[in-house]
Amino acid sequence: VVSTQSTGGGADDGQGVGTLLASFISKYPFSIYQGADGDAHTVKEVTLENTLTGCVIGDKGSRIRDVRNSSGARIRIGDFDSAGAGERLITIEGNNIQCHLAEYMLQCCVQSFSGHASQEPRAPPTRKKLQANPTQNSFGNWAGADQTDQSAATPGW
């Protein structure tokens, strides 16, 4: 499990805090959170193929650290196969705005750093799945995603 605390040290990937976010917003469509209560606490769960985990974590954790710092959300990346065969569970906790921004940045990490040209269609998962090449409209749909509070289901935070 990747720690949810930022240590401040570590490898510098040549990008300061917020630089990754700025590069994503200029490249990928972004929709402002449109929900009713941006300050309400929420816990979101998304899945990620085990093989794409490095796209999110980055060199020595630099990319996930930037996502955490830029979004303000707490992000926990589950162990190998924690969401079933071949997938990891990623839990995002914070207010609705922080979770929306973190999910956008995680999706952009996968799309930018995966090197996948296309993704084969599959049956829809019960949790939102981060994909290497989502449709352009998928970013706009994040504001309307199911945002159930599962804080009681995630002990230890």
Side-chain angles (χ1 to χ4, degrees):
V1 176
V2 174
S3 170
T4 58
Q5 296 181 3
S6 176
T7 59
D12 181 9
D13 62 0
Q15 300 185 32
V17 173
T19 306
L20 188 62
L21 175 59
S23 71
F24 287 158
I25 288 177
S26 67
K27 187 174 180 182
Y28 303 109
F30 176 73
S31 65
I32 306 263
Y33 177 75
Q34 300 293 319
D37 189 2
D39 291 328
H41 182 267
T42 191
V43 176
K44 291 178 125 184
E45 293 181 333
V46 295
T47 61
L48 177 67
E49 290 179 26
N50 288 326
T51 58
L52 298 175
T53 306
C55 300
V56 170
I57 295 174
D59 185 39
K60 298 183 182 176
S62 61
R63 206 169 291 136
I64 190 67
R65 208 171 17 256
D66 194 12
V67 172
R68 288 176 178 140
N69 290 336
S70 295
S71 69
R74 295 178 74 179
I75 302 168
R76 175 184 281 171
I77 300 176
D79 293 331
F80 192 81
D81 289 345
S82 58
E87 297 186 336
R88 290 178 190 243
L89 178 66
I90 299 178
T91 307
I92 307 166
E93 181 178 359
N95 66 39
N96 284 322
I97 294 170
Q98 291 170 327
C99 290
H100 176 75
L101 182 56
E103 188 174 352
Y104 166 79
M105 291 186 73
L106 291 171
Q107 181 66 64
C108 290
C109 284
V110 171
Q111 192 167 353
S112 293
F113 304 108
S114 69
H116 286 168
S118 66
Q119 189 85 17
E120 290 184 24
R122 292 200 230 179
T126 54
R127 297 181 188 102
K128 186 174 286 194
K129 180 169 181 153
L130 300 179
Q131 298 178 359
N133 289 313
T135 62
Q136 208 170 15
N137 291 336
S138 67
F139 291 117
N141 292 339
W142 288 351
D146 179 32
Q147 299 174 1
T148 56
D149 183 356
Q150 300 174 0
S151 58
T154 31
W157 286 11

